[in-house]
Amino acid sequence: MSYNADMIELALPAGSLETAISAFNADADAVYFGMKEFSARKGAANFSIEDLSKIKRYASEHSKKIYVTVNTLVDDSETGAANRILSVLDFYEPDGIIIQDLGLVQIIREHYPHLPLHGSTQLAEHTVEGVRQMQDLGFERVVLSRELTLKEIEDIRKKCPDIELKVFIHGALCYGFSGLCMASCNLTGRSANRGECAQICRTWFTEEKTGENGYFFSLEDLNAGRTLVLLNEMGIDSAKIEGRLKGSEYVCALTRYYKAILRGEDADGLEDLVKTTFSRKSGQGYFYYKKERESLLSGYPSHLGLECGLITGQTRNTITVKADKMLHNRDGLQYFKINSRGLDEPVKFACRITGKQNGYITLSHEEKDDVRGKMIYKITSSVQNEKKPNLNLPLFRKPVDIKFTIGQDKISAEALGVSRSLDVTLSEAKKIYDILTQVSSVFTQSDTSLYTLKELHIDNTSGLSCPFLPLSALKTLRREFYLALDAAERPVPDISISMECTAHFIFPDRKRLSGDLPWSLDIKEIDGRKYITLPPVTFEEEKLFRKAGKIIDDNPDVIVGLNNIAQLRLAKAYPHARYFADIYLYLSNKWAARLIQKELGDSFIGGYLWLERTSYDAPWPVEPTVTDYTAPSFISRTCFRHDAMGLPCSTCKGKEDFHIFQNDVKYTVKVRNCLTVVEKN
């Protein structure tokens, strides 16, 4: 596969049809969106089947691409509904299906081989072997974890040249690795793996030793800016912007901003507009992590806006601002005051200009406290007014090959196993004409049908060299044929196949497999068996695989817990060992177990049922072990010691614990060589 440095794709989020069309109108190359079910952004409007039909037609006619997210985990009881969604998507042929659940991957591989598989960032893929394993499974594209540096991304690109890579360039950063975060589920019962994230990382906590309150897990937003050019040059296929809960102003501003950067134009003014639509404190995220060792925390966890100038004076009813940016009446503004917990709290008001002089602007605003020296932020713009797109769009019609037969006293049309005939008296045409062109022009006009003509094949068995085909007869046959085609049932593949259980291995209480962290390469001997468990996150993959391989060679009877899809590659390299799906290689349904079994064969002996479920529909290919284990709330590449506590790296010994609490719930924060693991006590 070769790469063109001018061809990086800009993919925008679309929480609704309106947002999708707005993004395309602003020159986005692609949009990604979810349907009403199985979307990791339940709070978005999401797409109906009619919306999907419209955006498919629009994208096809404007050379754009659409990607559909089916990126939540599903249990056995939901695979039937998920299968029906996949059947609909198979009909509409999106340019990619973004998937997290391994069971859905297996269903697609077996029943929908034409659907392009794209690996969701929820799969936490951040290593070379992880990307290679996804390629082994048939993925065409991988959305890499957001925690990667530019150097690490480039290394994956060079070592995995034959698969498409997608990289986040803008929007919210999660504190924990996507797909591994259990904070919302642990604290509220709302699963981030089900599109129900309660954004625990954006709330405040108290550090036990100092008594300090803070947004210790609220990361700044990512704003790649001109780093996009470097990603383009290294051959990254797609640049992804986060924000399916945002509106049209957001996607339009970001599309224009990054398109200007790719064209080498001045984008500063557009960046100001981006910050007004939605922005926390923003930076380069992990792209230069450790090379430029600055805290990634944002402090205030919500929309910060655009810095517009300092408050230099105030009276009882006015404040004066030394304005660095243009302000307009009815702009939304805010500044911050410290609340009783010692946290920033916004004061929001509408801009009412009462005077301007020498760069100073007087605003009508009543404030009892002294706010001189505070920064004013613009959080909405009264002059940004995106034109609402026309949503009265034509529906997609699936092109099909049609066989048109001219008999002695009959004409008929056939496609997809459906045929209709019409009796008609035929005779030689008085003037020779192009039959193919005439019939094609009629059958291309399929009106409101789900189908339209792709390619026409004519079989003339009438005995006439150029039969005259009455236009009225052609139209009648066309109408009856398309009605029959629409009425024909499009069968949904039957996935309710019988699975024989080949392994009944029951695993021990999951707590007994943990070491200092919830995984351990130190052998645990439990009930006469030896176990090791691999970490779900590693930035030294080759070293990990060598160490694990040596343990396996030295202990042929060891049972190995796999916590990332990348580790299937290790298991295949050492097939004489036994392996199980640990708590982060989610056994969400029997199809997920089937996929792993197909990859590893008899060396796969089972695993723990997805932590958020306590029951399953037997039989499975392997019997899952139900556990009530509470997994860490966060696994993060951000160093709590440095970023939250402000402690210098020079005094770090590589291992330190902190204790925090929120609403009487206590947590231990373990920092191990810059990796942070937050466990509920």
Side-chain angles (χ1 to χ4, degrees):
M1 183 181 292
S2 61
Y3 294 92
N4 186 329
D6 296 327
M7 295 299 289
I8 192 168
E9 170 190 87
L10 195 61
L12 273 293
S16 66
L17 179 62
E18 178 182 327
T19 310
I21 299 300
S22 295
F24 282 150
N25 288 345
D27 201 23
D29 302 305
V31 296
Y32 64 96
F33 55 86
M35 302 299 288
K36 297 292 185 182
E37 296 178 278
F38 308 113
S39 167
R41 289 294 181 271
K42 275 193 174 182
N46 291 317
F47 278 55
S48 65
I49 294 176
E50 181 178 335
D51 293 336
L52 172 63
S53 181
K54 289 180 178 180
I55 198 65
K56 170 64 179 180
R57 173 78 172 264
Y58 186 96
S60 299
E61 293 177 349
H62 293 82
S63 300
K64 304 291 185 180
K65 292 188 176 182
I66 58 171
Y67 306 116
V68 180
T69 60
V70 189
N71 57 342
T72 61
L73 296 180
V74 301
D75 61 28
D76 284 326
S77 68
E78 298 168 315
T79 52
N83 181 43
R84 289 189 289 274
I85 291 284
L86 293 176
S87 178
V88 170
L89 296 178
D90 191 50
F91 177 84
Y92 286 100
E93 299 178 335
D95 298 285
I97 307 294
I98 303 173
I99 296 285
Q100 175 191 12
D101 190 287
L102 295 182
L104 296 187
V105 172
Q106 185 60 29
I107 290 172
I108 289 172
R109 293 203 308 176
E110 292 191 25
H111 297 288
Y112 305 99
H114 300 298
L115 282 179
L117 275 170
H118 290 195
S120 170
T121 192
Q122 292 285 115
L123 282 164
E125 284 321 315
H126 59 289
T127 67
V128 169
E129 293 301 325
V131 172
R132 287 173 175 166
Q133 176 58 42
M134 293 182 75
Q135 191 170 5
D136 289 348
L137 292 174
F139 283 89
E140 297 182 8
R141 174 179 287 185
V142 177
V143 185
L144 294 174
S145 292
R146 283 172 272 196
E147 287 78 5
L148 291 168
T149 66
L150 278 180
K151 184 178 180 181
E152 290 161 346
I153 293 170
E154 186 172 25
D155 184 56
I156 292 174
R157 173 74 290 165
K158 288 178 179 177
K159 293 177 179 176
C160 304
D162 299 322
I163 188 170
E164 294 182 0
L165 298 178
K166 192 172 194 174
V167 173
F168 277 90
I169 62 166
H170 198 101
L173 288 174
C174 298
Y175 188 78
F177 275 78
S178 295
L180 308 181
C181 180
M182 301 293 291
S184 180
C185 181
N186 289 347
L187 206 60
T188 70
R190 292 167 51 184
S191 170
N193 285 308
R194 302 277 293 166
E196 302 166 340
C197 178
Q199 296 195 326
I200 302 303
C201 57
R202 301 297 181 186
T203 60
W204 60 274
F205 291 79
T206 304
E207 204 276 324
E208 191 172 72
K209 185 176 181 180
T210 64
E212 177 186 353
N213 295 319
Y215 299 106
F216 299 138
F217 307 122
S218 179
L219 295 193
E220 65 184 20
D221 279 5
L222 173 62
N223 182 343
R226 285 164 180 79
T227 298
L228 175 60
V229 176
L230 300 180
L231 293 168
N232 189 22
E233 291 172 350
M234 73 173 64
I236 298 304
D237 300 273
S238 182
K240 180 176 182 178
I241 292 169
E242 181 274 340
R244 276 191 279 156
L245 298 177
K246 311 293 194 310
S248 295
E249 289 81 5
Y250 177 83
V251 298
C252 289
L254 280 162
T255 301
R256 294 173 185 133
Y257 170 56
Y258 282 109
K259 283 290 185 175
I261 287 173
L262 288 172
R263 290 192 295 263
E265 300 170 357
D266 182 5
D268 290 347
L270 290 168
E271 184 176 20
D272 286 351
L273 190 59
V274 166
K275 289 182 177 179
T276 301
T277 57
F278 188 89
S279 179
R280 299 179 182 90
K281 175 188 173 186
S282 61
Q284 292 283 304
Y286 292 95
F287 287 147
Y288 302 96
Y289 194 57
K290 292 191 176 181
K291 183 178 180 181
E292 299 176 6
R293 194 67 176 88
E294 298 180 357
S295 173
L296 296 181
L297 293 185
S298 66
Y300 178 64
S302 191
H303 180 26
L304 183 63
L306 174 68
E307 290 187 357
C308 290
L310 292 174
I311 300 174
T312 58
Q314 72 180 108
T315 67
R316 186 169 64 87
N317 295 315
T318 66
I319 58 174
T320 301
V321 179
K322 188 179 186 305
D324 299 322
K325 301 290 183 181
M326 186 72 70
L327 294 177
H328 301 88
N329 282 320
R330 297 185 303 281
D331 284 347
L333 305 178
Q334 70 180 11
Y335 56 86
F336 290 91
K337 296 165 65 174
I338 303 299
N339 65 19
S340 59
R341 295 191 179 99
L343 302 172
D344 285 333
E345 187 171 288
V347 177
K348 302 180 181 182
F349 61 102
C351 179
R352 290 177 57 198
I353 300 173
T354 59
K356 294 182 180 181
Q357 187 175 5
N358 299 327
Y360 291 85
I361 298 178
T362 303
L363 305 177
S364 175
H365 178 66
E366 184 175 343
E367 171 61 67
K368 294 179 181 179
D369 296 328
D370 186 354
V371 294
R372 288 173 294 182
K374 294 190 178 296
M375 178 64 68
I376 286 285
Y377 298 87
K378 184 192 295 189
I379 54 176
T380 60
S381 172
S382 61
V383 297
Q384 183 189 11
N385 186 19
E386 293 292 340
K387 182 180 179 181
K388 288 190 176 296
N390 174 26
L391 302 183
N392 187 24
L393 301 171
L395 300 177
F396 169 73
R397 294 174 295 172
K398 191 178 185 71
V400 293
D401 293 340
I402 297 176
K403 180 182 178 182
F404 185 84
T405 302
I406 307 172
Q408 292 184 345
D409 294 299
K410 180 184 298 185
I411 56 176
S412 62
E414 179 182 0
L416 303 179
V418 175
S419 64
R420 282 295 180 272
S421 300
L422 183 70
D423 293 335
V424 59
T425 301
L426 299 176
S427 61
E428 286 283 357
K430 295 180 180 179
K431 184 178 180 181
I432 295 176
Y433 69 102
D434 188 340
I435 297 175
L436 181 65
T437 299
Q438 181 181 358
V439 178
S440 294
S441 67
V442 172
F443 275 78
T444 298
Q445 302 172 49
S446 55
D447 197 24
T448 59
S449 173
L450 292 171
Y451 300 90
T452 191
L453 175 64
K454 181 179 181 181
E455 187 172 340
L456 186 70
H457 306 273
I458 293 184
D459 184 14
N460 182 8
T461 62
S462 67
L464 303 173
S465 59
C466 185
F468 173 71
L469 302 175
L471 185 59
S472 59
L474 288 176
K475 289 182 177 180
T476 298
L477 178 61
R478 175 193 65 193
R479 182 179 65 255
E480 293 181 359
F481 170 70
Y482 279 121
L483 284 173
L485 204 56
D486 287 341
E489 183 178 355
R490 299 190 301 276
V492 177
D494 182 10
I495 64 170
S496 59
I497 62 174
S498 175
M499 294 187 185
E500 180 182 355
C501 186
T502 60
H504 296 273
F505 198 103
I506 302 301
F507 291 88
D509 181 348
R510 181 57 183 77
K511 293 178 184 178
R512 300 176 70 186
L513 297 181
S514 298
D516 173 46
L517 296 175
W519 48 87
S520 177
L521 286 176
D522 295 329
I523 292 178
K524 304 285 184 181
E525 292 199 26
I526 303 172
D527 300 329
R529 298 189 179 104
K530 296 178 180 178
Y531 297 89
I532 62 171
T533 49
L534 305 183
V537 173
T538 179
F539 292 95
E540 296 180 316
E541 185 176 58
E542 291 182 7
K543 181 179 177 180
L544 171 67
F545 278 25
R546 284 196 304 271
K547 185 173 182 180
K550 186 176 187 311
I551 294 172
I552 293 169
D553 284 339
D554 292 345
N555 300 272
D557 58 342
V558 72
I559 302 171
V560 183
L562 308 177
N563 274 303
N564 189 288
I565 197 173
Q567 293 156 11
L568 296 178
R569 297 271 294 184
L570 171 74
K572 287 186 283 189
Y574 296 88
H576 55 281
R578 290 179 293 174
Y579 300 92
F580 68 95
D582 202 5
I583 53 175
Y584 290 112
L585 188 60
Y586 297 120
L587 288 182
S588 48
N589 53 67
K590 64 182 65 179
W591 285 91
R594 181 183 178 94
L595 179 144
I596 298 173
Q597 187 182 62
K598 283 184 172 293
E599 288 295 296
L600 303 186
D602 292 339
S603 65
F604 175 56
I605 61 172
Y608 292 99
L609 184 68
W610 171 27
L611 290 179
E612 298 170 6
R613 293 293 182 268
T614 58
S615 63
Y616 59 95
D617 293 340
W620 278 36
V622 293
E623 185 174 353
T625 299
V626 178
T627 177
D628 60 357
Y629 178 74
T630 300
S633 293
F634 297 116
I635 301 173
S636 178
R637 195 178 193 181
T638 299
C639 177
F640 183 89
R641 182 185 188 278
H642 176 275
D643 290 3
M645 294 294 98
L647 299 173
C649 296
S650 59
T651 60
C652 181
K653 297 180 181 179
K655 179 178 179 179
E656 191 166 353
D657 289 355
F658 299 86
H659 300 280
I660 63 172
F661 61 89
Q662 181 191 74
N663 298 327
D664 298 324
V665 180
K666 295 185 177 182
Y667 303 82
T668 297
V669 182
K670 296 181 177 181
V671 180
R672 303 292 183 266
N673 297 317
C674 297
L675 188 74
T676 297
V677 177
V678 182
E679 297 179 313
K680 186 178 177 182
N681 292 352

